[in-house]
């Protein structure tokens, strides 16, 4: 059952399906649920032999493949709303309003960069080449360059520039990159979809938190803060009807297309286990809710794995 207690596993099933190929979808801050899923898989004795990630899934998957998930979790869970905001290097570019470099520079101090081909676990992630319009798979080279390219959300982050090529979020073409798994027939394929339907929403537990003192922002930053309301929705406004700005409409459209595309991809690639996290679970940039989202991932993984192991 879905509790902290050890689950009763079926030895015959585990002997046959001990190794997992893990597919981690895009989803912005919701992708932090991937951390909870990985922890639950490990707790139950599954061995993750390969990871394919997209956007936020590339970030979490890359940290795990590098053997640094505990360090990443400790870092991200200690960021509040002000910390997250301070890691956003704003720009006046029409291609996006966040450069997307500052946060990775901060993370590199916790988890140093390394080459993907040297990671102890097979890892790959995807991005989209802006000029060709084709999916590009990163399976070697700098881990952070790959993650930065995979998570370059259109209209939010500037495209990532690598070797004179511009890349945007892999979720544009392949938000659930099952196709990146090298041999899906030899392992148990587990897919974590954080762009699932509203019916899979899990009410988060209400916890009191100590907020840092508010900071005084210059006028131009206040303008960006207003734009970012789509990504940091206020709790009391989340269930109310709202009028969308042009930027919000673009982002909302991207989210809806991604949600639908995820469903279509999963219909074409039958998998043994799909762990579903609602696209309404958190805003795109609500990384200050890390601990809550990790717990959501753990609960969702527990439910899905119980069904698998108990034959329900």
């Amino acid at each position: 059952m879905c509790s902290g207690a050890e689950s009763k596993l079926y030895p015959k099933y585990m002997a046959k399906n001990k190794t997992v190929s893990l597919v981690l979808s895009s989803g912005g801050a919701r992708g932090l649920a991937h951390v909870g899923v990985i922890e639950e898989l490990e707790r139950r004795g599954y061995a993750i032999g390969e990871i394919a990630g997209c956007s936020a899934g590339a970030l979490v998957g890359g940290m795990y493949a590098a053997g640094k998930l505990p360090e990443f979790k400790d870092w991200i869970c200690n960021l509040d709303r002000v910390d997250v905001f301070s890691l956003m290097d704003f720009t006046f570019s029409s291609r996006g309003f966040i450069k997307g470099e500052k946060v990775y520079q901060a993370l590199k101090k916790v988890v140093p960069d390394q080459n993907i081909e040297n990671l102890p676990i097979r890892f790959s992630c995807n991005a989209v080449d802006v000029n060709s319009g084709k999916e590009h798979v990163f399976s070697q080279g700098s881990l952070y360059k790959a993650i930065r390219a995979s998570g370059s959300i259109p209209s939010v982050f500037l495209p990532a520039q690598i070797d004179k090529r511009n890349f945007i979020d892999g979720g544009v073409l392949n938000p659930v990159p099952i196709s990146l798994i090298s041999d899906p027939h030899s392992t148990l394929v587990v897919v974590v979809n954080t762009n699932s339907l509203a019916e899979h929403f899990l009410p988060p537990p209400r916890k009191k938190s100590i907020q840092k003192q508010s900071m005084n922002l210059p006028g131009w930053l206040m303008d960006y803060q207003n734009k970012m309301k789509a990504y940091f929705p206020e709790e009391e406004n989340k269930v109310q009807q709202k009028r969308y700005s042009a930027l919000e409409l673009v982002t909302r459209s991207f989210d809806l297309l991604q949600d639908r595309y995820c469903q279509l991809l999963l219909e074409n690639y039958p998998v043994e286990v799909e762990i579903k996290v609602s696209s309404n679970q958190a805003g795109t940039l609500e990384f200050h809710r890390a601990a809550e989202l990790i717990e959501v991932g753990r609960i969702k993984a527990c439910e899905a794995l119980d069904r698998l192991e108990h034959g329900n």
Side-chain angles (χ1 to χ4, degrees):
M1 295 299 172
C2 296
S3 67
E6 290 294 327
S7 299
K8 182 180 179 180
L9 304 182
Y10 286 67
K12 182 178 179 180
Y13 178 83
M14 286 298 296
K16 184 180 179 181
N17 300 281
K18 187 176 182 180
T19 303
V20 167
S21 291
L22 186 60
V23 180
L24 304 178
S25 79
S26 59
R30 295 186 302 279
L32 294 175
H34 297 319
V35 177
V37 172
I38 291 173
E39 290 180 339
E40 184 62 19
L41 283 168
E42 286 197 320
R43 189 184 71 82
R44 291 176 179 237
Y46 292 90
I48 300 173
E50 180 177 3
I51 297 178
C54 175
S55 197
L59 173 61
V60 174
M63 295 298 101
Y64 179 77
K68 298 293 185 179
L69 192 64
E71 291 86 346
F72 170 75
K73 178 183 176 182
D74 182 67
W75 178 75
I76 199 76
C77 284
N78 281 287
L79 299 180
D80 65 11
R81 188 187 294 259
V82 174
D83 294 325
V84 172
F85 191 84
S86 69
L87 288 173
M88 295 179 184
D89 40 2
F90 298 103
T91 176
F92 290 102
S93 173
S94 59
R95 299 186 301 163
F97 63 89
I98 300 175
K99 294 179 182 178
E101 302 298 335
K102 190 174 182 180
V103 62
Y104 292 112
Q105 291 301 323
L107 184 52
K108 283 179 183 178
K109 296 178 181 178
V110 180
V111 180
D113 194 11
Q114 52 190 296
N115 285 341
I116 295 173
E117 63 269 25
N118 296 331
L119 299 177
I121 295 176
R122 185 185 181 101
F123 170 78
S124 61
C125 66
N126 63 350
V128 176
D129 186 311
V130 176
N131 294 324
S132 70
K134 295 180 179 180
E135 180 183 29
H136 179 84
V137 178
F138 291 90
S139 57
Q140 59 183 3
S142 166
L143 176 62
Y144 277 105
K145 284 185 178 180
I147 293 172
R148 169 68 177 86
S150 186
S152 298
I153 304 172
S155 78
V156 179
F157 293 97
L158 292 180
Q161 294 186 342
I162 302 175
D163 298 329
K164 298 182 180 180
R165 299 171 67 185
N166 292 314
F167 295 97
I168 56 175
D169 198 300
V172 171
L173 291 182
N174 192 4
V176 186
I178 306 171
S179 58
L180 273 59
I181 295 297
S182 58
D183 188 4
H185 302 292
S186 64
T187 58
L188 176 69
V189 177
V190 176
V191 172
V192 188
N193 178 15
T194 61
N195 300 299
S196 197
L197 301 174
E199 64 192 63
H200 300 293
F201 177 82
L202 182 66
R206 293 286 180 180
K207 293 183 179 180
K208 293 182 179 180
S209 60
I210 300 174
Q211 297 292 332
K212 288 188 177 181
Q213 188 175 4
S214 299
M215 54 183 179
N216 295 321
L217 302 176
W220 68 273
L221 273 183
M222 292 296 291
D223 291 338
Y224 278 116
Q225 192 175 42
N226 290 332
K227 287 182 180 181
M228 291 169 61
K229 286 181 180 178
Y231 310 103
F232 288 105
E234 296 296 331
E235 295 290 336
E236 62 270 18
N237 294 329
K238 284 183 181 179
V239 296
Q240 297 178 2
Q241 292 289 96
K242 63 175 292 186
R243 298 183 66 176
Y244 292 93
S245 67
L247 175 63
E248 290 170 341
L249 278 174
V250 170
T251 305
R252 176 62 173 162
S253 298
F254 177 69
D255 287 343
L256 290 171
L257 286 169
Q258 190 169 231
D259 296 352
R260 180 55 180 159
Y261 197 23
C262 283
Q263 295 175 49
L264 293 173
L265 285 170
L266 287 164
E267 290 173 5
N268 291 327
Y269 290 94
V271 298
E272 288 86 349
V273 181
E274 181 187 357
I275 297 168
K276 302 176 181 179
V277 176
S278 171
S279 59
N280 296 333
Q281 197 70 53
T284 305
L285 299 179
E286 291 190 293
F287 290 95
H288 60 283
R289 297 172 60 188
E292 169 196 321
L293 291 166
I294 291 170
E295 178 62 11
V296 167
R298 188 198 69 80
I299 293 171
K300 290 288 187 175
C302 195
E303 292 172 351
L305 292 171
D306 276 351
R307 288 193 297 268
L308 174 75
E309 293 161 5
H310 301 157
N312 295 330

